[in-house]
Amino acid sequence: MGTGQYRIGGLGRQGPEIQIDTAFLILMAAAFAFGQGGRLFSLLCILAVHEAGHLWMARALGVPLTSIRVTPFGAVIRTDSLTDLGFFEEITLSLAGPAANGLLALGAILIRQTPLGNYLMIHDQFIILCLGMGAVNLLPALPLDGGRAACRILGRWIGPRAAVFVSGVLGYGAALGLIGYGAYLWIRGTFTPFPLAAGGYLVWAVWESWQSERFRCMRAISGKRSRFQQAGAMSVHRLRVLHTLPVGKVIRSFRGDGYHEIMVVDRRGNTLGIIGEDQLIRQAVERGMDVTVGSFLRH
């Protein structure tokens, strides 16, 4: 559990760990202090639907989640490894939350047109907040859902490092926009803590995302290197893979223990070269998980 987060347990025996960001608790306290309790309750309902969308899609795709961190913008979902998610899976899982918000808003609009709407009293503010939550999360800016999807798409052309940098810059732009909007409301005399709190949180969250997304794979390598230096020896697993295999699929086949050597062969079984685990992951961080392992032999 990271700094500024509170663990409240998991979803079932094998479910992901739930973590609450300190910024989310501060936002709740500020909402009550400024008489925004009703809006906060609506926000909690919308967040619950947002996370339900992520969880449902993760279960549908068979993706195991290790933790869900609740933030002012929704949740940051974590898996065991960066390579657990394929290209389609990561994009689909990222966009499931905003899609759930859109469906909730659509359902609320339709219910208002029925006799049931007279009893539920669904206000315009709830629909606007719901659509706003989905729209903000679709921005191609880290650490938002749209930013994670954009990173994976851009990473195919410009590499993961550059994609994370671009999405992070857009994240800072979104943060400044929220802070500016909050200041504008304050000047007009219609102060609400949500834009300022969310913008301030986003500044910090972008920086954290830059660190974690860039070096998550490299940390795995450095951890093995540290264990090797302590023990002085480590078992070696050799994999024989086709040169056309995506590097992400190769890394997903790694065992948790030992070091891996990857023997790259062509379709006739001829050996094209051998790549070490650390070299493979360094190249994957630079160029992405979807490129073929054979292309690394030419660099």
Side-chain angles (χ1 to χ4, degrees):
M1 183 169 60
T3 304
Q5 301 163 27
Y6 297 90
R7 181 182 182 277
I8 61 173
L11 296 177
R13 292 184 178 181
Q14 298 181 341
E17 178 181 274
I18 305 299
Q19 301 169 357
I20 305 295
D21 237 43
T22 303
F24 183 75
L25 299 177
I26 294 174
L27 181 61
M28 292 178 63
F32 280 113
F34 288 96
Q36 301 282 335
R39 184 174 295 181
L40 176 63
F41 178 76
S42 296
L43 179 63
L44 291 175
C45 293
I46 292 168
L47 280 173
V49 172
H50 183 98
E51 306 326 320
H54 286 306
L55 289 172
W56 181 86
M57 186 57 67
R59 179 167 295 183
L61 295 173
V63 176
L65 303 182
T66 56
S67 68
I68 300 174
R69 189 171 116 203
V70 180
T71 76
F73 292 100
V76 176
I77 53 179
R78 296 291 186 193
T79 60
D80 289 327
S81 167
L82 183 66
T83 60
D84 279 341
L85 300 179
F87 181 80
F88 171 78
E89 292 173 326
E90 184 164 3
I91 293 176
T92 304
L93 186 57
S94 296
L95 300 183
N101 288 143
L103 290 174
L104 177 61
L106 178 61
I109 293 172
L110 293 176
I111 289 175
R112 288 212 309 186
Q113 310 304 316
T114 68
L116 186 60
N118 297 326
Y119 299 96
L120 294 179
M121 292 186 298
I122 299 174
H123 299 288
D124 290 341
Q125 188 181 70
F126 176 82
I127 297 174
I128 293 172
L129 193 59
C130 188
L131 291 174
M133 172 68 72
V136 168
N137 271 281
L138 284 175
L139 291 174
L142 282 176
L144 305 176
D145 295 324
R148 297 188 179 281
C151 272
R152 194 59 188 265
I153 295 171
L154 287 173
R156 283 193 157 190
W157 287 279
I158 63 176
R161 283 181 185 268
V164 167
F165 176 79
V166 171
S167 297
V169 169
L170 291 174
Y172 279 131
L176 292 176
L178 285 169
I179 292 173
Y181 179 64
Y184 169 74
L185 293 178
W186 197 345
I187 293 172
R188 287 192 57 187
T190 55
F191 175 76
T192 176
F194 291 106
L196 291 174
Y201 169 80
L202 190 55
V203 170
W204 171 83
V206 169
W207 180 86
E208 186 191 47
S209 294
W210 266 349
Q211 304 306 311
S212 62
E213 298 298 329
R214 282 180 179 178
F215 303 113
R216 203 172 346 153
C217 274
M218 299 306 294
R219 284 173 187 155
I221 284 294
S222 64
K224 285 192 176 184
R225 187 173 295 159
S226 175
R227 291 194 297 272
F228 173 73
Q229 291 174 349
Q230 291 176 1
M234 180 175 285
S235 60
V236 175
H237 307 294
R238 176 163 289 190
L239 298 176
R240 194 165 183 259
V241 304
L242 278 174
H243 65 101
T244 55
L245 206 63
V247 66
K249 192 170 183 178
V250 175
I251 296 176
R252 282 196 291 273
S253 66
F254 286 176
R255 302 181 188 177
D257 62 318
Y259 182 81
H260 295 80
E261 288 184 347
I262 299 90
M263 180 187 298
V264 184
V265 301
D266 60 20
R267 294 193 178 278
R268 295 182 178 180
N270 299 318
T271 301
L272 302 177
I274 296 177
I275 305 176
E277 178 179 339
D278 52 351
Q279 179 188 357
L280 184 73
I281 292 183
R282 283 196 191 95
Q283 289 285 341
V285 169
E286 292 290 344
R287 301 179 56 210
M289 298 292 175
D290 303 308
V291 297
T292 63
V293 66
S295 68
F296 290 173
L297 296 174
R298 298 190 288 271
H299 289 78

